[in-house]
Amino acid sequence: MAVKAKGNIFYEILIVVLAVGLVAAILYPSKVWQGEAEAENVCRARMDAIYQMELRFQMMGDYVYTDSLAMLKDTVFTDIQATQSLDTLIQWESLVSLNQLKEMTFQKHFPDDLRQLIREKLIAREPLDNLAKWDDLQTGLFTKFQDMLVNAGDEEIEAIKEYILWPYLVGEDTFYDILRAEGVPASISRQTIRDVGSRGEKIYDSRGWEQYYRAPFVEAVKGVLVTALDKNVWLESQKDEWEKMAREAADAALDTLSDAGRDSVWTQFRAEFWDEEREKHWMDDRDRLWEEERESWLAENHEMSDRVIAQKWEAERKKTWKDEAKEALPDSLKPQFPALADSLWRIALDSLREYEYPQWKDNNEKEVETTINNLWQTRRRVTWEEGAYQKWIDEETASSKFWQNVKDRLWKKNKDILWQDEVNKLNQKRYAQKRLLTSVQWANLLGEDQVLSMADALSLPNNKGMWSRIITAREEKDERILYNLGLVPLYRAQLLALLDNCPVSHTRYLVNVVDTTEFDYCNIYCPIIDTAKVMMAYDIDPVAKDTAIIELRLPGAVKIFGGGEIVYHGDIVENRQSWDKKGK
């Protein structure tokens, strides 16, 4: 058996090592750039979150902005309304890298953590918001409420009236329509609007509640429930499926028409169909007609066409002549030129036309031909249309695909309108659901034991399933993933603990509060210092307020393989983000 020389084995190993190194040199820089781009986005998201918190902080009482991030977080997140507002404004999942978010997710205990959060919200009588979407809990709540109202008498409504925010649940327009309804005495209507609208009293404590308002409000709530429980709606992601089903239904309805009915449809819409197709038919006929009619038309209309071409030349030449004539004048006369320009032009025109116009026509044959052609089209199209329209009608009605073509055109005409109706229905359903979730104390309305039993019966995902939901939402370009999944309370503490620092320098953001007699604002800066040679970063002691400067270094592998650098991530100065050209 032949034995390989040791030198050959050495070279083979060397080739493998070099190949691995080459692959690493190609792939590693790309991975580094992606990581740095993600870190930049995280840094900017953190600065924007601090900015949103500062705005909320400034709105709370007599506060101005603060440069203390600890005080900022303690203040805004101990206020329920501020917390609810910031949950919707901050892109929480963007405050960390994707890998960090994954690590946080798998550190939790799903589904137990999620179920406990839902239970806590129910017990505390706090709005469920997006938590109610899990396993369609909201449908179960709404259905039980609807069943409760079916045979509810006055006594039953009186027993639950305090658990409902009636004005918000029915909507502002409906609320005031009920207060001003026909049959309600004007004095009661005015007093109720004053007491409820201005003084904040409850509608069920008003003088007209039992006699005039209770029944209409209950009926309005029933309507909101019907809208919230409507199953005949389509999601944005189901548009293709909707289009297929809606088209089939539309075609089937049209196919049931008699011959007379089909003729009526054709007569009603054919003018609109022609308007959409007229231009195409004219383009099809135009070149042929021009070739056939050009010589005879020019012979009959040469004076008119010559006049139009001459006017075109005259208009163009006048523009250049003005510059030439003004330049030729002595400086002392130039101020008077605008007043004399038209008179001087008329004097010069005949001479210019005689010596320049023939040569201009020869040099601009294509432009002259285009002008003549456009002139012919303007007049010929008027005479063409009447015959073309009738010819089109005859061809369409004689076609074996006549009725199918009508259906195709009607669908094209109505598709966008019909889909917009579906979008509006979906928005109305979502709005009704939101009003119900925020206007009803479900534990009081249905009983705490019953709603907690419903929460315990929910089918919720484990850690792996939850991460899959987050990734799916990310792939669908959801910009508020944790908020839309109702998960912000479970992640908030961890994310806020990381908020103070840039993810690259790991030092605190610089918050500069400007407070003058005229205005006040806060500026937020990434702590990285962009220098020409060595990258530095500010390092602020949050207690002593001392500021040091530290040097930032790239990892050794990045220096070897390349593909990385440390950069300044931007700032928010005077309410404008440096990375957003439009600002805020």
Side-chain angles (χ1 to χ4, degrees), residues 367-391:
E367 186 175 352
V368 169
E369 180 67 16
T370 300
T371 302
I372 293 172
N373 182 266
N374 289 339
L375 189 62
W376 168 80
Q377 285 192 52
T378 301
R379 287 156 175 76
R380 184 62 176 90
R381 185 159 179 168
V382 175
T383 58
W384 163 86
E385 182 156 343
E386 182 176 350
Y389 180 42
Q390 187 57 52
K391 178 184 176 184

Side-chain angles (χ1 to χ4, degrees), residues 133 136 138-139 142 224-239 242 417-436:
K133 296 178 182 178
D136 209 12
Q138 58 189 7
T139 296
F142 301 160
V224 173
L225 285 163
V226 169
T227 302
L229 291 168
D230 187 6
K231 296 181 179 179
N232 187 29
V233 294
W234 295 86
L235 301 175
E236 294 88 343
S237 59
Q238 298 174 312
K239 184 177 181 180
W242 165 84
I417 298 173
L418 293 173
W419 175 246
Q420 187 58 49
D421 289 342
E422 296 299 328
V423 171
N424 293 340
K425 283 176 61 178
L426 178 61
N427 289 337
Q428 290 169 3
K429 176 175 180 175
R430 287 173 172 169
Y431 185 40
Q433 291 173 338
K434 180 180 179 181
R435 299 208 308 267
L436 282 162

Side-chain angles (χ1 to χ4, degrees), residues 479-497:
E479 295 184 352
R480 296 287 187 275
I481 297 174
L482 295 183
Y483 173 73
N484 289 332
L485 292 175
L487 301 178
V488 173
L490 296 179
Y491 288 79
R492 187 187 295 116
Q494 285 177 285
L495 294 171
L496 288 178

Side-chain angles (χ1 to χ4, degrees), residues 254-453:
L254 289 170
D255 286 338
T256 62
L257 294 176
S258 63
D259 290 343
R262 297 184 180 191
D263 289 341
S264 178
V265 170
W266 168 246
T267 302
Q268 179 181 355
F269 291 106
R270 66 187 181 189
E272 291 185 35
F273 298 158
W274 170 249
D275 286 342
E276 294 175 359
E277 300 181 16
R278 179 196 292 112
E279 191 65 25
K280 176 182 177 299
H281 289 283
W282 167 245
M283 297 294 287
D284 291 343
D285 291 348
R286 181 189 60 185
D287 294 342
R288 174 182 57 80
L289 291 172
W290 176 237
E291 185 176 352
E292 294 172 356
E293 301 175 4
R294 183 180 184 280
E295 296 302 326
S296 60
W297 186 87
L298 285 174
E300 296 174 2
N301 298 277
H302 67 90
E303 291 182 359
M304 178 184 62
S305 59
D306 287 346
R307 184 171 63 254
V308 171
I309 294 170
Q311 289 171 349
K312 181 178 179 63
W313 165 82
E314 182 177 327
E316 293 177 0
R317 187 64 180 92
K318 185 176 182 179
K319 294 178 182 178
T320 58
W321 171 86
K322 281 187 174 183
D323 294 335
E324 296 168 0
K326 185 176 181 180
E327 186 64 28
L329 289 175
D331 291 342
S332 59
L333 295 179
K334 286 181 179 179
Q336 285 78 38
F337 179 75
L340 301 173
D342 289 340
S343 298
L344 295 174
W345 167 249
R346 285 192 293 271
I347 295 171
L349 178 59
D350 290 339
S351 176
L352 291 172
R353 182 186 289 116
E354 180 180 355
Y355 289 104
E356 295 185 10
Y357 179 55
Q359 186 63 42
W360 179 86
K361 288 180 64 178
D362 292 340
N363 294 340
N364 295 274
E365 289 184 359
K366 185 175 182 180
E367 186 175 352
V368 169
E369 180 67 16
T370 300
T371 302
I372 293 172
N373 182 266
N374 289 339
L375 189 62
W376 168 80
Q377 285 192 52
T378 301
R379 287 156 175 76
R380 184 62 176 90
R381 185 159 179 168
V382 175
T383 58
W384 163 86
E385 182 156 343
E386 182 176 350
Y389 180 42
Q390 187 57 52
K391 178 184 176 184
W392 174 78
I393 290 176
D394 295 340
E395 290 174 350
E396 288 293 321
T397 53
S399 171
S400 59
K401 297 182 179 179
F402 164 67
W403 188 239
Q404 184 60 47
N405 290 339
V406 171
K407 292 189 293 184
D408 290 344
R409 290 177 175 124
L410 283 174
W411 178 249
K412 180 181 178 182
K413 166 185 167 61
N414 295 324
K415 178 178 66 174
D416 291 342
I417 298 173
L418 293 173
W419 175 246
Q420 187 58 49
D421 289 342
E422 296 299 328
V423 171
N424 293 340
K425 283 176 61 178
L426 178 61
N427 289 337
Q428 290 169 3
K429 176 175 180 175
R430 287 173 172 169
Y431 185 40
Q433 291 173 338
K434 180 180 179 181
R435 299 208 308 267
L436 282 162
L437 291 173
T438 55
S439 304
V440 178
Q441 296 178 17
W442 294 101
N444 289 335
L445 182 77
L446 302 179
E448 186 172 301
D449 290 343
Q450 182 169 194
V451 295
L452 293 180
S453 176

